[in-house]
Amino acid sequence: MAGGGLREDLLEQLEKVRSLVKAHGSPHREVYLDLENSGLVFEEALVALHEAYKIHGNPSITHRPGWRALEAILEAELGLMDLIGVDNGEVVFTHSGTEANNLAVMGLARASCGRRKIIVSQIEHLSVKFPAERLQEHGFKLVEIPVDEEGFIDLDYLAGQVDDDTLMVSVAAVNHEIGVIQDLRAIAEIVKDKSPGAIIHTDACDALGRIPLDLESAGVDIASFSGHKIFAPKGVGALYVKEGLKLEPILHGQLSSQRLWPGAENIPAIAGFARALELFRKNFDEYRSRMRRLRDMLIDGIFERVDDVVLNGPKGDMRAPDNVNMSFLYCEGEALTVELSLRGVYVSSGSACTSRTLEPSHVLLAIKRPYEVAHGSILMKVSPMHDEDDIKYVLEQVPEAVKRLRAISPRVVM
Ligand SMILES: Cc1ncc(COP(=O)(O)O)c(C=O)c1O
């Protein structure tokens, strides 16, 4: 085998990552709050995942193991329908929320008979924004709806844009970065009033289990979900498609129980998703009030202990119960994630895709945060698995980490 090239690069990278992990040692306590990018998993969902690995069948095949696999899919489908308030239509299981969003946007464009306008909010997740942008190369027109300084979309601007050329309007029910909850019912009313044939898509990955969803009565036609966002194992997403809606597949292949997403279904992850859905359905109010209590303890605690901090997104009931996004002035977000990681507190700066390029998040720029403020933002999410002691620990560590970074920040020295 020839040496050098990729192999050498990978070995070098592996060595670096190993030394980073080693340098961290074992913090005496760890609190994982980077739930935007990867989830904790409910113990019960893990048990369901393990059990389902013993189901060897493919749900399209007519034998006992095949029917066991189909049973797992149907249970998850019913569980999702219960939690999102729909009785009809189709649920398609993908392998992630990203795939579900791509299927929604691309699949609707492929099925479009003449309508060419796609409307999205300025703060959509990149898995909606990027496919919508790509469609411009195929003759579609993209319109972005602005948001105010808390992230609420401009409904008048939306009303002015919807017309009979509008194929779809896509607005996330809850924004993944700043937690703003949009009024889906008002959006759907405006859109359907202007153009009854326009389709309403919502990326509900961050809304599932966080806010009550009644998609049928809100007038939503198509909605995306991600398993790890509700503490199911990774490797499963879903798309709800209203009955009668025209959507073309974007993948083609053989044999599947699902027309819109061919290929072998991830049955163990789907079984874990079903269990997580059931837990959220049974404990919805308790989980929500627990998350809200921990969220407020974290936000209030940081304001009490640290100066020059800004909350990104709205306060109170119009903010998702799990979301804490704060900018620490005179601190660089990436540096803060590393400093906190050394202390066993795991957070992210902006969304994963954005932070990899070190560009400030498009969401924070859309709510008109100056560049330096957007750069100092930290995203933390709480879950029903966290408790007050976790938050107390985070509240001890954040002020220390910020103080250390500010002490070496050139802007403070100046
Ligand atoms: C609002 C939103 N949409 C879509 C996604 C993509 O989901 P996944 O990570 O399952 O691809 C995420 C991911 O975190 C998200 O927060």
Side-chain angles (χ1 to χ4, degrees), residues 35-37 95-99 101 125 127 172 174-176 203-206 225-229 236-237 381:
L35 300 176
E36 167 53 18
N37 297 306
H95 296 97
S96 66
T98 297
E99 292 177 1
N101 277 335
H125 191 264
S127 56
V174 168
N175 181 265
H176 55 294
D203 173 353
C205 290
D206 269 56
F225 305 93
S226 166
H228 71 86
K229 287 302 177 98
V236 58
K381 290 187 180 176

Side-chain angles (χ1 to χ4, degrees), residues 181-195:
I181 301 172
Q182 307 286 353
D183 187 346
L184 284 184
R185 196 178 295 271
I187 291 169
E189 268 169 23
I190 288 171
V191 174
K192 299 288 178 186
D193 179 50
K194 293 268 170 182
S195 178

Side-chain angles (χ1 to χ4, degrees), residues 97 125 275 343 358:
H125 191 264
R275 189 71 186 106
R343 298 160 185 270
L358 291 182

